[in-house]
Structure formats: structure tokens, C-alpha cells
Amino acid sequence: MASPSDIREKLRKKRRALQETLVKNKNEDDVQALVPSTKLSGEKRQTTMKEPEGSEEDPGETLKRTIRAQRQRRKKRLLEQTLVQESRDDDVEEISTIQHDGAEEESAEKAHESVVSSRSPAGSQKGLFSRTQHTPSSQSQSQSLDDFVKRRLEERLRAARSKSESLQQPEASFEPASRLQSLRDRDTVTRFDREVDPDRSGRQDPPSALSARVKFREAARRVGKGLPTAEEAYNFFTFNFEPDPPDESETTSSKRQKQRKTAKDDRDEDEGDEAEEQEDAEADEDNQEENENQSEEAPLVQNAEEDLFALDQSPQDFLEVRKAEYIGYRNLIQRESDLLFTPSFRTVPTSIKLPENMKPRYLEDEGLYVGERPSVSLTNENILENRILKMEEGKKWFGDDGRIMALPDPIKESSTRPPLFHMEEDLDPALQTVYRKALKSKYANLYIAGAADPEGDYQLDVDVSGLIFSHHPLFSREHVLAARLAQLYDQYLTRQHNNLTGHLTDKLNGLRSALRNMLEIHGGQSLTQAMQQRFSEYSLEIRNTRQLRDSEQEKDRTLLKNIVKMWKEIKALREFQKFTNTPYKLYLRRENVDRASDEREHEDEILAEVLELEAESEEDYHKKLAEYNKQLEEWKLWRRKQKSKKKKRKKKKKGQAQEDTEEEDQEASESEGPVEEGPPKPEPPERPDFDSIEQQVREKASRIRRKPGEAILIPELSASGNITASELCPRAETARREDVARRSLFIKILYNDKEVSRTDSRSLNTDFRVHFGQIFNLKIVNCPQSIHLQVFEEIGSSCSLLARVFVPVPEPSVVTGNVPVEEFEFSSNQRVMFDHEGVGSDVPLSFEADGGNKQTLLTSGKLSCCVSWGIGDDDVPLAPPVSQQPGGIHSGLGRLDAVTYIGASGLYDMKKIGEWATQSRLDPNDPKNASIMQLLKVASSGEVTAPEYFRLEHLQEEFNFVTDEELERSRRFRLLRLRNQEVAEFRNYKCVPALEREVTDKVFQEYERRLKEGEIIDTKEHLDSHRALVAKYLQKIRESVINRFLLAKHHYVLSDLVIEEEIPSIGILGLNLFKLAEPKRPLKPQRKERKKVTAQNLSDGDIKLLVNIIRAFDIPIRRPQSNKPGQSSQSAIQGSDWFLSQVQVRPFVEVSFQRTVLQTTTADGPNPCWNEELQLPFSAPNGDYSTASLQSVKDEVFINIFDEVVHETGVNDKDRGKSIHTHVEKHWLGSVKIPFSTIYSQSRIDGTFKVNTPAVLLGYSKERSHGANGGYDIMRSLSEGTFVTLFITMEPQLVPGESIREKFDSQEDEHLLQASERFEREAAQGYPDRPCLTTVIDLNGKTVFITRFIRPLNPPQEFLDAFPNNPQEATALVARFVSLIPSLPDRVSFSGACDLWSTCDQFLTLLAGDEEEHAVLLCNYFLSMGKRAWLIIGTAIPEGPTAYVLTSEQSRYLIWNPSSGQYYGQYDTFCPLLTVGCLVNADNVWLNIQEYTSPMRLNFDITKANLWKPFFSRSFSHPGLSSVQPEELVYRRTDKAAAAELQDRIEKILKEKIMEWRPRHPTRWNRYCTTTLKQFLPKLEMSGGQDVTEGHRHELQSLLGDNRISGFPLHLPFSEIRPIIEAVYSTGVHSVQASNVEFALAVYVHPYPNNVLSVWVYLASLVRT
Amino acid sequence: MAELHIIGQIVGASGFPENSLFCKWGVHTGGAWRLLSGLKEGQTQVDIPQTGDIAYWSHPIDLHYATKGLQGWPKLHLQVWHQDSFGRCQLYGYGFCHVPSSPGHHRISCATWRPLGSWQEQLAQMFVGGGPQLRSPDLIYSGADRYRLHTEAMGTVELELGLIMRHFDKYGVES
């Protein structure tokens, strides 16, 4: 127990126990657990260690033992790890080991640390870090182990090193820096602790420890020889030789218990211990060093002493009481002065600073640049110098000038760093803050409402400019007069300025002239009511104006008189008092006038006035007279009444006796009449006295106007006079002046009765004017209610209120800067009297010598000031809104002031101003109104009509070259734009003229017509209204589909843009090399792949169609015309043939494409072999060679087989024999049609095609040659008809347009779509050449699962009824019906964008569709007829990828071509179907996974899963998809009449066409033949073109006798007229040159249900022989 | 009804940190201009020069405008992008220049810039590519607020433009 290692170990156990409790329990417990240990350890360590051990049930104790036991086992491993410590990177090592600990340990440790750090660090940290060494083996000291260990060590060390290194590196990198830091910190603490450790160990048992150490050393030395380094060994052995404390018995006895208890912990601790031990090892390492230094020297003993004796002695023994030590200040100073040096702050003389006998040298004076020294205060510098001088070599710090050496001041005056603007980090403007001042409190009730923005305070500017007294108590008499004079003069000036007189005179003149004009114009004639009204109005106006003018003139005149009078008075006064007080002087300027003109004017004026007055008085008189007359009338009436009454009364009085009672009342009433006195007799008006009028006028004129010829007097008041100096004045005056000088004035400004400001006080001048010139800006919050100014007079220190002036609150529109200063008069009723010259106030005053005519003058004056609203920084008036104004201001005056009437804002509204102007009847001549009138004039002229809209860039218009309309109108631009937009008409328009005029309107005609007639259907072109409708409908669908694909079409593939040669790979090279060795076979040429060319940079003539016609089989042969005389010659030719029995035919092939016709050479026999290549040029519509355009080319290649027939027209008789005329005719035998689109999409067509031969070929028989003819026999027996082998391609090879597999929206289940995608992908990967379809796109552009299209649908009933007993026939009929529906490839109608599937009813409505639609319909019909039918998705010639129908009948399979209605057996050689990709029926889709794709080699048993892969299998069952097809098809019966009509029209058109094609020859029609043919056609229709040949031929032969007939019926499904014409043209019947040829043409249209029409054209040419 | 033909090419770009570049371009005009034919925006191929710093595109520009006023003279705005070895594209620069207003052949070099972003973004850009882009690329030719952006100068794009003007003299525009 005594050994330090043991204690350490115990400590460690303890710690672990604590840790565990830490982990498991709460912090409180931890603290409790910790506290004792820390406390105790501080006190006495030994006891601390022991205490836990003493307590029996301490978990730490039990734990400890378990672990110790385990450690024994792990000893070896641990040894290695301790060696690992050798590596330098201690920190990292620590981390790596701690990493091993696992989360629990780590967290525990952390928790522990945290707790510990709050405690006293020394004790607790020790607990953590003094956990000690591994328990070594019990025989630690035994030397026997050494060798063994040494060897092991050598081995393991190496391994461990490498391992630890590899461990260290990755783990160190994981660790964040912070963690590292903390660990490092801890490490230092550890060191601190360790210092304690050895102490303790020393204390415990110093001698033993020492001895142990010595031993360790020895051991180390011994070991050192064999080990890599001595240090390693040393370290190792020091750990290893720690004495082993545990008593084994105890350990084993409690082992079980412990194990049970800590089974779980063990695992953790296994790792944990390792880590700890490593740490411990490290700690010990340190210890070793420390021990070397410390424990082996003195300190150990010292410590031991102290500690040892401390227990035995009492405190008293160590203590003694002493008094505080004090050293006196003086002593202190003295002592310090010995030690310290205080440099003086006196200036050091230069001589000391410099070396002896050296004069200071000033570089500056010598002209050298010396930088400015940094400023140091002189005192500091002195101190420094003094100190330096005391130092050794102090002088070297001084420069030549005796100052301390210093670098120039390094501080630059200006900052070199540019100001750094702190940019907001791209802060969203919305997020940025705006600094606002502190908010003021809300306003009280009185405050201006709506002043939400406290910053928008209102501001009143009060400008107090000055004050003029019109009377002041200190006025002298002269002053009074002068003031009056000045006042008068002012008045005069203002009047003069306003020039009211002149203005009124003008107005009067104007009115007069207007009146005169009116009179002149309407002179004498009766005036209308309105005119009279105006007339009178005018005269009234004239009168008023005249009166006004007169009064004004009078005023002017009196004013002038007064001024002169006043001046005279002043002069008199000045005379009298002998001095002048005022500087006023009045001059009267005389302006001479032309006397004559003046007089004339005067006279005119008077005359006019007189005239007017006369007229007025005349009128007046007339009025009065009229009135008088009226009154007179009334009076007379009254009189008469009166009289009659009187008479009556007399009468009545007579008869009063009789009717007394009755009359009485009456009398009473009547008697009242005279009593109530009648109107007085009116006085007749006096006639106006015209003479007197003139008199009056003259009188008045002389009174108010200057006399004619008199000079105009203009007074001029100047203040240039001298004022007599005070010395010269009498005493009283001097006193007055002194008094004046004493006075001063100031003005208070009160706002809402509160003083807000006051001016400076200014002294009163001798002229009694005060100038303030101050402006006060009042920031107001309250509503302005009153503003008044108080004028105060100051005499000495006392001041008195002189007067108060009320200033009105300005209108909101009154804004500083635009308001003139106004003058407000004020007065005061103070009574002031003086004993000097001052006149005083409110004192009677007389200027008369006699003292009469007294005047009482009150102090009064004028204050010039103005109040206005301030203007803010942004020119916004700081005025409250108008509504806030206290009412009462808007009174009657408002009308006249435009601003108040409209409001300031209305000033910009022309309309309002106009309204106001008319309402207020502005005088247009009034100069005040001049600006308004100007404005109104401009406004009313319509030039500046206020626009209703707001324009952003109003100046843009001005800079525009042309208007929009003009730009739109430009035809050239329109053409260019349309071309750019790829409008169909202009898509490939090559040249747009450079000049506008060269673009004619004609260009657009077609386009515009199309736009206009978009809806109108042209029936003429279509022959059939239904089809026209359908065509329209199709067009619409097409447009919508194209729009849908527009975006997808712009998707380019790399190959569209880049043509890249394929880089030959090794494999290809090898093959090529191999080919070189191959035997050349020039007789078996093979086709090579060619380069593909994108269609974009092609032009006309670049593309050629190559048609290689190889051979044909079974061409019909000529029938020997037995009854013909010409037979002999023919047979002669035949006879020359190698095969005599063969009936001759000389076929050749003619290929026509885009009206280019080429033909092969003529071959012989029914099985000819041409092997010729024909090149046909191809030109795209509009020269547009884009993919889309090429795909929509509808042209077809016609391959016609003709028989060349040579006729000898007989020997020319006249010349007797030598010349023989031959006649070459060609007879059409059959044709193959291949659409260009097929060639384009397939890029090549190679195969044997069945030739479309007419049902009847007159003159030919299809009978097979009876002779055996090589190996063809077998094949021929299998099929009927003629075949031709062709190879067609294009040069250069064009890249066919990719059909876009866009993702379409779908209503299908997502699972299904995914499954189908997978299915198709797998098919494409596994069998790239087998077309596989599971989803298709319907007409609405939606993806639909293919099986939904298959559903039994009823064929037209009449077909079923036609052959009730023969289902075979019915089937054929149905197939024929389906084939009669015209075929229109999707890629033609939808420009190759996609393959759209329509349902059967849509198909029957559109009457146009692809092979798929045909196949679906046929399949559905077959299903409804009870057959087993499938849709075959495969490839065929010439269609390419297509759909066929497969039926199963009596153990054999039939393949139906839905577009031709023909069927083939499975093993038919000439079946056009080449590959079978998959089969579809209503329930499932089967993919062909057989080896072959050719139907001949296929097994169609779909039940075999190894042959056909089903889409819906057991794993993915059919989800019960409903069909998209209708339940039942409804058929309309076709109108027979319409069919007949169509028939006639076709016939007519064809006849015209044939005649057109024969422009040089007459075309004769054989009617007889035509009728015969016509009868024959229905029969053909009935039989479906079969089995009528023989009978018909005979019939014809018999009918037409000696005519050589060649002809055939053509059979076509009807879609348009154009294909029919093409077909007829391609037969070349019209090209018969014989002069005596006749033609027969018969057309038959057979209607089938639902407007399906079968067209038969029977063409024949008859040559009379 | 003056007309303007802009015919030329975007020759290439140089001075960018990497040289596997392509360029998106567009022409912006005012309301008075009407495009008669041609494509007014597009994108060049990626050029990965084997040698040298300059990426050559030689991308054709062929535009035909009609205008009724001078306002909104066509401006060409460019975005240079870089395609790195992983096939990722990142913005390398925005540029903008006016189409010259005098007829004839012009060689224009358009300097480009790119938004810098915060240091985190720059760090991310260094390691994982990408980079800050303008949220509204209109800012290239219309931004009044561009001074707020922290940008970095990138390379220059070379353009060769030939201009043909027609009927401008009719409206008093001398060229």
C-alpha cells in the first residue's frame, strides 16, 4: 500500500468511479463525490488515498480490482503502446488514444473536466492525471524477464511505431483545432501536477523510492545496450519496474462479484485503460526527468522535514509578534537617492553634448535638407539628454548640431490611405435602415391635423423690414406737413402706377368703338332681341365706366392740387420758423403738349360724352314717358270707373226705394271706393335739356381735367434738401431733436398671442423711419390663428407699447420669395405732450396763424412687413393644407382672387382657370390680368390642351423619325418580317427588293387572302363538300400539332450541325484489310453505305432520285388478235424470237416524278431484266430543303410498265415497197406508286413490288406462260400478279428527320407508362430492328396505351348482308372497304413530327389516315366478325414501319395489307411485310423474340413464351384498360346523287385534262365505246376487279369490231381530284400519236357507307385499222 | 424608317483564367427598334483551345433592324461561361458594349466582369466551382445600381462587327 504507484492506481480507480457516477448520475453527486477527495487531498494525501479503500462497498474499489486483473493480461500490449509514446507528437498521440475511448469515456472526461475546473484545480486535476502506470507484472524486478522482454520489445517496437504512425496521421486530421488546444492546455496542467507526484512518493517512502530509482537506472543502462535507443529503453523500464501493489487473493476473491458488476464497463475500459495508461506513461516520462532534477537533490528532504514536524508542534512555537516596520520618508528618500537617478530637466549646454573643441554644425544652414523632427516637448528632451549623457558612450547619440539624433517625423500630414467607404454588403434596399430623428410626441387638439410626418413642420416666415411713422409725438410742425406731403405723394405715385384713369379711358374708348361698330353694322335695321340686350348692356357699361373714370380723374386732379398746396404750406412754414427739419423738396415737372391735338381730343371727348348723355337722357326720358303714359292710363281708367260708379250710384239712388235692402250692402262696398283715393295724376316728365347737358359736361371737364393745351404737371418729391443743423436751431427744436435721438424702437412678434420673437431695438432716426430688416422663421405646430406685431418704444430703460399691428395669416399659396412686402398702418391713441417743438400726440394742433382749424393728430405709422409660408429644401411649401384654414377668409373676395378660388394646386389646371376667368369676368385690358389672359388665350387656342395621359419619355416623340403607323405600313419591312417568321408564303422568298416602291401589294395578296378566307371553304377545289370540311379540320389539327411540336423541333442533334468522319477503329481497319484479300467479284456488285447529308445547305438540283429497275416478273402478254389482218406482220416479228411459242411483249419501264419522265430501254418477254439506273432530279417546294419541308413533300414516284408496240402503217403503195412506216405505241400495263416521303424516311427502298395492274387489260392476257421457265415456277405459282424489283434511293443520302419522342401528358397509370417504357427500351436493346410499340399518341396529343385501340367494331351491315353465306367474301369486302379509305401518311400531314393515331370513328370522319388507322379499323372489323385477329407492328415495303393485320383461319395465318385490302398467306414469297416486330390485340402486346423476323419463318403461336414475350404477364397483369374506341360505329349512307354528281364532274375534268395534254392533236371521243365502258364499270366494282376480264374483253371486241383497242380501268379511293389526274396522266394514254385515234373515258363512282367512294376510271384508246 | 444591318462575328475571348469557354449573347434594343430578320440572341459553341489562351468561336451575328428613332440604339450583352472538365458550366463574366453607331467595320473588345461574392462563396467557388450570378441579367445593360456590386475583372471578348446603315441621312443623322 505504501508504494506511490499503488496510490496512483487507487486514485485512478477513484477517478473512474467518479467518472462513472458522473456519467450515470447527476452533477450534484459528482460534486459531492469530488469534494471530499479534493479537500482531503489538499490536507493530507495519504489519508485521502486510503479512505476510499477502507469503505468496503465502494464501487471504485471493486472496479479497481477487476481492471487490475485485466491489466495483467494486457500487459504485453500495453508495453508496446507505451513505447509508442516515444514518438514526438505527444498531443496527437493523446488525441488518437482518446479517440479510441469512445464516446462515453470522452464525454465522461469532459464532464469531469468541467466540474473540476470549477473546483480548485490542483487537487482534482491530480485525480485525473495522476492516475498511474499500468500494473506491471508481479515479478517486476526479476531480471530473468529482461532478456525475454528485450527481445520482444525490439520486435514490437518497430511494429508499434509504424502502427502508431499510421494511426496518428488520419486521426490527427479529424480533430478540430479547438480540441487540440484544450488538450494541450491540459497537458501543461498535467506537468504541474506531476511536480507534486514525486514529492508525495518521496514522502511516502523516500529511501525505498530512491533505491528503486537507482535500480531502474541500472536496469535501464543494462537494457540500453541492446535497444535501439537508450531513452526508449529507459522509459520503458522505468514503467515496467514499478512495484506491484495488489494482493492477488483479494483480487480473486472479489473477482466474480466485480465481473458481474462491471461486465459492461470492462469493454469500455479495455480501451479506456489503454488510453489512460498511455497518458500515464507519458506522465511518468516527465516524472523521470523531474525526479532526476528534484528528487535526487535537496528539495525532497526539505519537504519531508516540514511535513514531518508539522504534526508534532503547536502553532505557538512558530510564531512571534512584531511591530510594523516603518522607515521615515526622509530616510526613504535618502535611501532612494542612493539608488535612483533623476535626470534634471534643465537644458544641457551644447558643449557637453559634443566632443571637445567641436562647434556645432547645422546642416540646415549649410543648405542640406533636414527633415522635420518629431515634436518632443523641450522638458522631455532635456531629461532625455541628461540621462543619455550619464550613460556610457552617451555622446554618440548626439548629432553634429548637438541635438539628439532623430529621424524626420514619420507622420504624414495627409492620410495616405484613401477613405474607406463602408459598403453595405449588397443589402437588399428593403432591408436597409434609414436614420430617423427621435419622434416627437403627438400633437394636441389644436395642432394641425394630418401632420403625420413630424419632420414636415410648417414654417412661417415673418419679415419685418421697417417702420415709418406718419405721425409721431416728436414730430415738429414741419414734420407733420412733410409727412402729409409724403403721404400724398405716395398716393399719387400709386395712382400713377396703377394708371386707373388711363386704363378706364381706354376701356371707355373701346366700349364706345364697339358700340359704334355694332350700330354701323346693324345700322337702321331692326335689332334682334339679343342684340338689343347687348346694346343696352354696352351702354350701361359705358355709363358706369365713364362715371368711374370721371371720379378717378377728379381724384387725380384734387390729389395734384393738394400736393401743391401742401408744398406751399411747408415752404411757408420753413420761411416762418427759419429752419428746415425735413429734407423734402417738391419739383413740378411740366410736360408740354401739342395744343391743337389736345384741344381736338378734348372737344371730341366732350362731344362724345355729351352725345352719350343726351342719348341716355333721351332714353331716360322715353322710359319715364312710357311710365308716365302707363300711369296716366291707369289713372284715366280709374277716373272712368270712378265716374261710372258715380253714375251708377245716382241711378241706384233713384231706384233705391224698390230694392233697399239689397242695395245697401253694395252701396256700402262701393262707397268705400272713393274713400280709398285713386292714384294721383302723374306728372308728365320734363324733356331733357340738351343745352344744359353740354354745359354740365364742360363744367365737369374743367373741374376734373386739365384744360386743353395746359401742360401736364408731374410732381416729383425728393429728399435732397438740407436739414438745418441743430446748432442753428432754437432751443425748443434742439430739445426735440435730443429727445428724438433718445428714443429707440423694437417689435415683438406674437403668434397665437404668444411672444415668439422680437427684433433688435433700433434708434429712431430724425426722419422717423426705422429699419429692422429681420426675418423670423417660425416653426409652427399649432394652427395659425393670429399673428401680430407689437411696436414698442424705448426711452432709456423704460419701454412702452406704441401700437400693435395685426397681420393676417397668409394663404397657403403665399410662399416666401413671391410675396411683396406689405405695409400695415397702425396708430395709437396715447396722449403725449411736450414742452418743446414736438407736436405731441392726441393734442389739438393748428397751423393757422390764428390758431383756428385745429387738428388732432394721433401717433400713427406704417409697418412694412410680410408674413408668408416657408419653403422646404425640396421647394415644397411648408404650409398646412387649405382645409385647416380657419374659415371666413373665403368670402366674396374669393371670387376675384384666382388662387383662393381655385386653390394653389388648381393653378396648373387650365380648365379651372378658364372657368374662373369666365365667371369673374376678367377685364382683358387690365394689366393685372395680363398674364392670366395670355395663358387663357394659349389654352383656348387648343395648342396646350392638357393631355389626358401621362407620358414618360415625352421628348421621345420629337426625336422619332417616323410614326409607328408609317413603320407598320412599310411593305418592304413587312415582307422581311414575314419572311423571317417563316410564314408559308414567304418562307423561301429569296430576294426582297431594296426599295420600298419595288415591293408591290401583289406580293401580299395571297397571304392576305389566306388570312381572310381562313374560315371559308373552297368547295371547287375539293369536289366534295364533306371532304373539304375534313381537309379543313385536318388542317386545324395539323396546325395545333405543329404548334405543339414547335419547341421540340428546334432541338438539334449533333449530327445536324457537325459532319464528322467516322474514325476507323482497329476492328474496321482489320476488316478492311481482310477485304483486300477477298477475291474481287466484279459481277456481284454490292451497295455500300454512303455519307449522309443534312438537308440544310442544299439547293435545287443537288438532290437526285436514283431508281434502279432491275427486273420484272409475269408481265401480261399480248393476246394474239386472231381476227386481225395485221397479225401476220406481228407474228413475223415474234417469229424472230428465240422462244417461238412465247407470245411477244416488249416491256419497258417509265418512271415519272415531279413531271420528269425517264424510261428504260425496251426489253423482251414477260420476265424482262433491265438493270438500269434512272436519275431523276428532285426539287423541293419553294426551294426549302429543310427536314420539315422535305418530309411534307407529297409527290409520288410513278413506276409504270409499258408495252412498246410497233405498228407498221403499211407499205407506202405509191413508191412500191421500200419505205415502211412504223408506229410506236406504248400500252400501259401497270404501275407502282411510291411516295417520296417513304423514300425520304427509308432513305432507300429495295425489294420486289407487286405491280398495280388494272383489272382488265384489253389486248393482254395474264395467263402464265405454259412453258417451263426455270426456277421461278414455284414462286410464281404461289402468287398472282406482276412484280417488279426495284431499288430506289436518293443521291446524296439525306438524313431523315428524327421523330421526336417527347414526353406527353397522359392519363395512363404511371406504372403502366414506366413498364411500357421499360418494355420498349428492352426491345430496342435486344432487337434493334424490330419495331415495338406499346404507347401511341392520339389526336389530342396524349399518350395512350396501344391495346386501348383494339376493340371489336361492327362493319357496315350491308357488307355482312351482301354475302350471308360466304364469310370469306364478306371479309374481302370489308378489307376492300377499309382500303378504299384514302391513305395519308402522318409524316406528310404532320410534317414528320410524330405518328398520331386516331380512333376508328375519327378515322372514318377524317377519311384519311396512316396504315395504322387502316390496320386498326380492319382488325376491329375482323374481331367483330368473329375472327382471331392481331395487329402486326412491323416493317414492310414500301411503307417502312407500318401496321398489318394478322388473322388466323383454319390452321393458317393470313397477313392483310390494310391499305390495299389484299391478303397474303404466311408463306407467300411476295408478301410486302418483311419484319414482324410485335403483335397487339385488345389484351396484350407480344414482342417477337424469335430468331427471325420474316413472317415466313415465324411461328405465330403467341402462347409460347419463349417465342413471344408478352407485355402483361403474370407478374404484371392486365389492369383492365378500357378502350378508347367507341362502342359502336354509326354509318351514314352515302348520298347516291352526290356520288353521281361527283362522277360527272370527274369525267368532265378528266376529259378537259386529256385535251389539254394533247395540245397539237385533236382529241376525239368515241361515245359508243364510252357508254359500253360505263356499263362495264359497275360490274367491275361488284366483282372487286376480279374475274370479269374474259367476258368483258369479248364483249368489247364484238362491239367494236375492227378497232384496235387498248385500255384499262383504273381504280382509286377518292380523296381529291389531283391524284386521279396524276394517275391518268401517268398511264400516258393521252400520248398516243396516231392521227386516227379515238378515246373513250368512263368514270364510275361507287358510294360506300360513310362517304367512302370508290372511283373507277376506264380509259381506252381506239385505233381504227 | 432607317435600317441598320449588324453583320459580324464574336471572334473569341481571351484573358480568362481557364480557356474552355463559351458565350451567350444577346442584343437589346429600345422600343423604337424592330427586328426584321435574324436572331438577336444565341450561344456559341464551347471552344477548348489546344494551344494558346484565346478561345475562338467565330460565331456569326447577322441582324437587320428597322428603327423609327435613335433612342435605344442596340446594345450587345454577353455572358462568358466556362465549361470545366466535369462538363459543368459556370459563369465567367458579364460584358456589355454598344453596337457602334458609325457604319463600316469595327473591331470591338468587350471587357467582362463577374460578381465576386462573399469570401465563403469565393472559397466554395475555388473548390466546388459555380459562383455568384446576377439574379436578373438585365442588370448587365440597364443597371443603375451596379456600383453596389463587388466585381472581379475577367477577360475580354473580341467582336468584329460590320455595320450598314440605311436612310439615316434622310432623317438628319449624319454618319
Side-chain angles (χ1 to χ4, degrees), chain A residues 423-427 432 955-956 959-964 966-968 970 972-973 976-977 980 994-995, chain B residues 1-3 5 32 34-38 64 66-71 147-150 166 168 171 173:
Chain A
M423 298 288 287
E424 300 284 327
E425 271 297 333
D426 280 0
L427 201 61
Q432 278 171 0
L955 283 179
Q956 174 134 27
F959 285 101
N960 278 352
F961 301 152
V962 289
T963 57
D964 268 332
E966 221 168 316
L967 200 63
E968 286 298 326
S970 166
R972 182 164 169 269
F973 290 169
L976 285 165
R977 271 219 308 284
N980 195 41
L995 297 175
Chain B
M1 286 194 291
E3 294 169 49
H5 286 273
R34 210 147 297 182
L35 183 68
L36 289 182
S37 61
H64 184 191
T67 181
K68 61 173 177 133
L70 285 177
Q71 277 90 348
Y147 67 88
R148 303 168 134 279
L149 285 173
H150 291 253
R166 190 164 186 251
F168 273 93
Y171 302 99
V173 180

Side-chain angles (χ1 to χ4, degrees), chain A residues 1162-1357:
Chain A
T1162 315
D1164 274 329
N1167 299 311
C1169 180
W1170 293 283
N1171 209 359
E1172 265 182 69
E1173 190 180 86
L1174 305 175
Q1175 285 194 3
L1176 295 120
F1178 168 74
S1179 63
N1182 292 330
D1184 179 8
Y1185 285 89
S1186 68
T1187 313
S1189 161
L1190 287 179
Q1191 270 169 338
S1192 55
V1193 171
K1194 283 190 193 174
D1195 291 315
E1196 289 181 327
V1197 180
F1198 288 93
I1199 294 146
N1200 295 305
I1201 300 173
F1202 289 94
D1203 178 24
E1204 190 183 77
V1205 183
V1206 181
H1207 291 291
E1208 287 173 32
T1209 46
V1211 185
N1212 195 329
D1213 286 350
K1214 285 169 191 171
D1215 290 352
R1216 231 9 183 173
K1218 294 294 176 274
S1219 63
I1220 296 167
H1221 289 250
T1222 52
H1223 220 95
V1224 182
E1225 275 180 20
K1226 53 179 188 177
H1227 289 175
W1228 186 75
L1229 299 177
S1231 74
V1232 177
K1233 280 189 296 183
I1234 296 165
F1236 176 79
S1237 57
T1238 310
I1239 300 167
Y1240 179 65
S1241 60
Q1242 298 290 301
S1243 80
R1244 63 183 196 138
I1245 286 173
D1246 190 1
T1248 304
F1249 300 90
K1250 184 171 183 187
V1251 179
N1252 209 355
T1253 45
V1256 180
L1257 258 179
L1258 295 177
Y1260 291 86
S1261 73
K1262 274 188 198 167
E1263 279 131 59
R1264 237 154 268 135
S1265 57
H1266 300 290
N1269 198 4
Y1272 282 125
D1273 249 4
I1274 306 148
M1275 270 149 68
R1276 236 179 281 154
S1277 65
L1278 293 172
S1279 177
E1280 292 182 351
T1282 312
F1283 294 89
V1284 63
T1285 309
L1286 297 169
F1287 177 83
I1288 303 175
T1289 188
M1290 274 181 298
E1291 177 65 40
Q1293 189 173 7
L1294 297 175
V1295 178
E1298 299 281 319
S1299 70
I1300 302 134
R1301 297 286 303 175
E1302 273 287 294
K1303 184 113 176 127
F1304 288 93
D1305 46 345
S1306 173
Q1307 287 163 349
E1308 300 288 358
D1309 186 41
E1310 193 59 34
H1311 285 295
L1312 187 63
L1313 286 177
Q1314 280 170 1
S1316 76
E1317 207 172 299
R1318 204 163 48 239
F1319 190 77
E1320 281 185 36
R1321 199 170 51 236
E1322 280 166 14
Q1325 276 168 3
Y1327 311 96
D1329 57 338
R1330 298 180 194 181
C1332 172
L1333 270 183
T1334 51
T1335 53
V1336 292
I1337 301 150
D1338 70 355
L1339 271 192
N1340 300 325
K1342 294 224 168 103
T1343 308
V1344 175
F1345 199 70
I1346 194 167
T1347 57
R1348 288 177 187 266
F1349 278 94
I1350 311 295
R1351 175 186 197 158
L1353 286 173
N1354 57 314
Q1357 194 55 40

Side-chain angles (χ1 to χ4, degrees), chain A residues 1572-1589:
Chain A
T1572 321
L1573 293 176
K1574 216 169 235 172
Q1575 287 161 6
F1576 181 59
L1577 282 174
K1579 283 185 205 156
L1580 274 174
E1581 175 60 39
M1582 289 303 287
S1583 64
Q1586 308 291 326
D1587 300 335
V1588 283
T1589 322

Side-chain angles (χ1 to χ4, degrees), chain A residues 24 104 259-269:
Chain A
K24 285 166 190 167
E104 201 189 328
Q259 274 182 337
R260 199 176 58 245
K261 247 187 172 180
T262 59
K264 190 180 71 97
D265 294 277
D266 280 358
R267 252 176 291 121
D268 298 336
E269 248 119 33

Side-chain angles (χ1 to χ4, degrees), chain A residues 1372-1418:
Chain A
L1373 199 59
V1374 165
R1376 183 175 158 75
F1377 172 71
V1378 172
S1379 70
L1380 280 175
I1381 300 171
S1383 181
L1384 184 68
D1386 280 343
R1387 70 180 75 85
V1388 173
S1389 46
F1390 302 120
S1391 46
C1394 66
D1395 198 7
L1396 296 185
W1397 286 43
S1398 47
T1399 59
C1400 289
D1401 53 335
Q1402 284 167 337
F1403 177 47
L1404 284 173
T1405 318
L1406 291 175
L1407 285 179
D1410 217 341
E1411 299 94 1
E1412 293 94 10
E1413 276 97 22
H1414 286 89
V1416 166
L1417 184 65
L1418 190 62

Side-chain angles (χ1 to χ4, degrees), chain A residues 37-52:
Chain A
S37 74
T38 49
K39 267 187 198 165
L40 287 167
S41 65
E43 217 175 77
K44 203 172 188 182
R45 261 134 211 169
Q46 200 178 2
T47 47
T48 322
M49 305 306 153
K50 276 178 181 173
E51 256 177 20

